[in-house]
Amino acid sequence: MKLDSTLSVDGLASLLGTSYIKIKHFYYKPNTSAYYSTFEIDKKSGGKRKIMSPEERLKTLQRRLKLLLEGVYVSKKQVNAFVKDRSIVTNAKSHTRKKFVLNIDLEDFFTTITFARIRGLLIAKPYALQSSVATVIAHLATVHGFLPQGSPCSPILSNMVCSSMDRQLLSLAKAHRAEYSRYADDISFSFYDNLQFISEDIVETVKSDGLHNHYQCQTGQALESIILRSGFKINESKVRLQGRYERQVVTGLVVNKKVNVDRQYIRKTSAMIHSISTDGLTLAREKFKSKVKDSSVMLDAHLQGRLLFIKQVVTVDSVVYKRLAKKFNLLEIDYKVPLGKSKSVRGLESRRYSKWYDERCWVIESELSTAEEFDCSQGTGFAIKGGYIITCAHVVKLKGGIANDISLCRVSKRGEVYKASVIVCDDNRDLAVLKIVEPALAILPYFDMSETIADIGDGVDILGFPNDKLGATHVGRQKVSVRNKFAISAVTFCQIDKELYSGNSGGPALNDDGDLIGVVTSGNDGGGFNDHSRFVCISELKKVLQDLVVAANEQALA
């Protein structure tokens, strides 16, 4: 059963999963607006937009009605709003690299789509519904006699009402070598021809000193006539014709050469990231709140949304997006954005001298002094969430046992030395978990742990302090590839294709997103290449940390 001429009112109610008696309650009540909650949001261009959100029972019916309408409505490819797999990006694509772009806005778009228009549309061909069924649908979809913004079925009904107009405007565009698209109430035409050859049926320009001036224009009579006959009205204040030597914008996106995000938007996003990086999240949030009207909007969440919007437009592989996304993901906040597989080889400066890595990696010096003997070692450690420092067991476990003096410092701040104690020492996995005991450290930047383990062929960044020297001021960083995966005593390791040396032990292995995928456990002390250069996989570290949590819980219950 579907929406067709044979469908009765009871049949419609059955498709909606209810009864006709229950449906009538929603539109025979004296005050139908009682089923809607009304609020306003700011328009991007200024002013307020009224949103009417239906209460849950009515919203459920409208969602089901939307699915039924989707079964009978076929949109033209020029219609890009409220259609699956289409967006402002697809709307803008057809207007790239054109000599002129015309934008038109329909005034009071949703409120001009009335009960009578919806009912008449559904009774007429091609839908040909019974008048009683069309009446019920129109009642369910409208409030105060018009389509409300906020109803699940308003978008598709608006597209259905505009079908005839879309068909006529597309024919007009084709007749005059132009491209046409519509995104809700935003109508766009673009032209291949020079200004003097653009048809006055679509746009009329004023002549100044014998030349056409596209800055002074109005819609052509044929175009305006189609829109008026379709029951809509043009917002004359938003009619704009843009030439190729100025910024051409369609639904907020630049289309001069390709679909792109406005430069100012990119710069502002970059400035927000910089604000958090330099001022800290708390101060950056306060500055942001002082500049926006809606104080409930959080800077970090807002920034994530901006980046996801940029990604939607320019794709995840864009150099601009990747640059911003990497900076954003390095911030000490809970929000993250996706990064595509890195295809570029980082330069030496980027690989080896990054402040961000310096703050998370530690030089570890361990000593064990007893009456019988003295032993010491040096290795690498790094911070993870929870205030823990991770390193190798063999860095802190010396000949006579666990080191009784463990010192930590960051190479960029060698004067700041911290003491640590061993919380866990797992000899089988060659992993150790440390905790800084003195002096107290308020903020401990850390690496996020990856959800997946490395695979053969993956590129990996190895960080550490091989043969650490007092003159070094940055953590060493080496780009390697995974050449093999294997298990020893049920512990999973990844073998890499380059040599690692003494002092690298305990260093982090990172994927292209900068997430932790392993801990360096074995290197090469002999000078030539061998098969011992490897790291233990992140899954093994997670097991150690899980055991730590279990032990802590058992101790708390004891």
Side-chain angles (χ1 to χ4, degrees):
M1 192 181 295
K2 62 178 183 178
L3 289 179
D4 58 26
S5 59
T6 64
L7 188 68
S8 65
V9 170
D10 289 328
L12 173 65
S14 178
L15 287 176
L16 294 176
T18 186
S19 65
Y20 178 53
I21 294 175
K22 291 182 179 179
I23 290 177
K24 288 194 294 184
H25 287 302
F26 291 110
Y27 58 83
Y28 279 132
K29 191 172 181 177
N31 184 16
T32 55
S33 60
Y35 291 111
Y36 291 83
S37 57
T38 304
F39 57 94
E40 292 182 334
I41 60 174
D42 293 325
K43 288 184 178 180
K44 195 172 183 179
S45 57
K48 298 287 185 179
R49 176 175 282 111
K50 186 177 181 181
I51 304 297
M52 300 183 72
S53 179
E55 60 102 30
E56 199 57 41
R57 291 175 301 163
L58 179 56
K59 185 181 288 186
T60 299
L61 288 179
Q62 290 174 343
R63 283 174 178 155
R64 293 171 182 172
L65 176 59
K66 170 179 172 284
L67 294 176
L68 293 177
L69 294 171
E70 286 175 346
V72 296
Y73 169 67
V74 179
S75 66
K76 293 186 177 297
K77 68 177 184 179
Q78 288 77 17
V79 178
N80 293 280
F82 322 125
V83 180
K84 186 179 179 181
D85 297 327
R86 299 184 202 171
S87 63
I88 59 172
V89 179
T90 57
N91 184 67
K93 274 185 178 178
S94 61
H95 302 291
T96 57
R97 307 184 75 87
K98 300 298 191 300
K99 291 184 177 179
F100 287 90
V101 174
L102 173 68
N103 289 324
I104 300 168
D105 182 79
L106 300 181
E107 195 170 297
D108 300 326
F109 180 63
F110 281 98
T111 55
T112 55
I113 301 175
T114 62
F115 172 91
R117 293 181 68 180
I118 294 170
R119 182 177 180 275
L121 171 78
L122 297 174
I123 292 173
K125 292 182 178 180
Y127 307 111
L129 299 184
Q130 294 182 21
S131 59
S132 57
V133 174
T135 301
V136 171
I137 291 175
H139 272 305
L140 281 176
T142 60
V143 59
H144 300 317
F146 62 84
L147 274 184
Q149 287 194 68
S151 163
C153 59
S154 290
I156 188 170
L157 280 168
S158 70
N159 278 343
M160 292 170 71
V161 168
C162 290
S163 289
S164 175
M165 181 182 71
D166 290 327
R167 184 172 58 254
Q168 295 176 69
L169 292 180
L170 179 59
S171 296
L172 179 66
K174 286 182 175 180
H176 298 290
R177 274 177 45 86
E179 296 288 343
Y180 163 74
S181 74
R182 181 178 63 82
Y183 191 91
D185 57 349
D186 290 322
I187 292 174
S188 297
F189 288 85
S190 58
F191 307 93
Y192 297 91
D193 298 324
N194 291 326
L195 188 59
Q196 63 268 32
F197 300 116
I198 295 176
S199 172
E200 292 188 349
D201 286 343
I202 300 178
V203 60
E204 298 178 3
T205 55
V206 176
K207 279 190 176 182
S208 177
D209 297 328
L211 298 174
H212 290 271
N213 182 359
H214 72 274
Y215 294 109
Q216 298 180 39
C217 67
Q218 62 184 31
T219 52
Q221 288 187 356
L223 171 58
E224 187 171 1
S225 176
I226 291 171
I227 291 174
L228 290 175
R229 288 201 311 269
S230 300
F232 296 102
K233 183 181 178 183
I234 297 172
N235 186 342
E236 298 294 346
S237 65
K238 292 188 178 181
V239 176
R240 187 171 58 163
L241 186 62
Q242 305 156 99
R244 67 194 302 182
Y245 297 113
E246 60 187 305
R247 190 182 59 170
Q248 295 174 323
V249 177
V250 174
T251 47
L253 301 177
V254 179
V255 295
N256 291 67
K257 293 183 179 179
K258 62 179 182 179
V259 179
N260 211 340
V261 181
D262 183 74
R263 290 180 184 176
Q264 290 297 327
Y265 191 91
I266 298 290
R267 289 174 185 147
K268 189 172 182 179
T269 304
S270 180
M272 289 179 176
I273 295 173
H274 181 72
S275 177
I276 297 177
S277 177
T278 55
D279 300 331
L281 181 59
T282 303
L283 181 57
R285 277 178 174 174
E286 291 176 359
K287 289 182 178 180
F288 177 72
K289 282 187 176 182
S290 67
K291 297 177 182 178
V292 297
K293 295 179 181 179
D294 187 356
S295 59
S296 65
V297 177
M298 300 299 289
L299 171 60
D300 34 351
H302 174 73
L303 191 48
Q304 182 194 42
R306 292 177 72 95
L307 285 165
L308 292 176
F309 170 71
I310 294 171
K311 169 181 166 288
Q312 178 194 6
V313 176
V314 301
T315 76
V316 72
D317 294 322
S318 162
V319 174
V320 173
Y321 169 74
K322 280 191 173 184
R323 174 174 56 81
L324 293 173
K326 285 178 181 178
K327 289 181 179 179
F328 178 77
N329 285 348
L330 297 182
L331 298 174
E332 298 296 331
I333 59 177
D334 293 332
Y335 294 92
K336 303 295 177 186
V337 293
L339 273 170
K341 190 78 173 177
S342 178
K343 297 179 182 178
S344 61
V345 179
R346 298 184 182 93
L348 183 62
E349 289 293 313
S350 171
R351 291 205 306 269
R352 297 185 61 190
Y353 306 121
S354 169
K355 177 183 175 182
W356 188 79
Y357 293 108
D358 291 344
E359 293 176 341
R360 288 156 176 78
C361 293
W362 296 75
V363 178
I364 298 180
E365 295 179 346
S366 304
E367 294 183 3
L368 177 62
S369 179
T370 64
E372 291 76 26
E373 63 179 317
F374 172 84
D375 195 12
C376 64
S377 72
Q378 178 263 314
T380 302
F382 60 92
I384 62 170
K385 193 172 184 179
Y388 297 115
I389 303 292
I390 304 301
T391 188
C392 283
H394 73 260
V395 172
V396 296
K397 190 171 184 179
L398 308 177
K399 290 180 180 179
I402 300 292
N404 52 21
D405 186 2
I406 302 174
S407 300
L408 290 76
C409 72
R410 286 173 283 199
V411 288
S412 58
K413 303 174 182 178
R414 286 190 181 271
E416 299 176 10
V417 179
Y418 297 82
K419 297 296 183 180
S421 62
V422 178
I423 306 298
V424 176
C425 187
D426 189 325
D427 293 326
N428 185 42
R429 296 185 174 92
D430 195 14
L431 292 174
V433 181
L434 314 182
K435 194 81 172 180
I436 292 177
V437 291
E438 62 174 347
L441 187 60
I443 299 175
L444 185 63
Y446 60 86
F447 290 110
D448 288 320
M449 290 190 283
S450 173
E451 296 297 324
T452 58
I453 62 175
D455 205 351
I456 295 174
D458 286 354
V460 179
D461 282 331
I462 300 294
L463 275 59
F465 305 98
N467 302 316
D468 180 51
K469 298 177 181 178
L470 291 177
T473 56
H474 297 280
V475 62
R477 188 174 172 202
Q478 188 175 15
K479 188 74 175 178
V480 302
S481 294
V482 177
R483 63 182 301 199
N484 193 16
K485 286 174 68 176
F486 56 89
I488 301 176
S489 301
V491 178
T492 306
F493 293 87
C494 284
Q495 180 187 341
I496 61 175
D497 63 349
K498 293 181 182 177
E499 303 96 326
L500 299 177
Y501 297 95
S502 177
N504 257 125
S505 295
L510 309 176
N511 62 17
D512 286 332
D513 292 338
D515 292 334
L516 183 69
I517 56 171
V519 183
V520 176
T521 56
S522 298
N524 175 17
D525 295 326
F529 178 79
N530 61 41
D531 290 337
H532 296 160
S533 294
R534 60 183 182 239
F535 61 86
V536 64
C537 292
I538 186 66
S539 54
E540 303 299 335
L541 175 59
K542 289 181 178 180
K543 292 174 185 177
V544 172
L545 296 173
Q546 182 60 38
D547 291 341
L548 179 61
V549 172
V550 172
N553 291 338
E554 290 176 350
Q555 186 176 2
L557 293 173

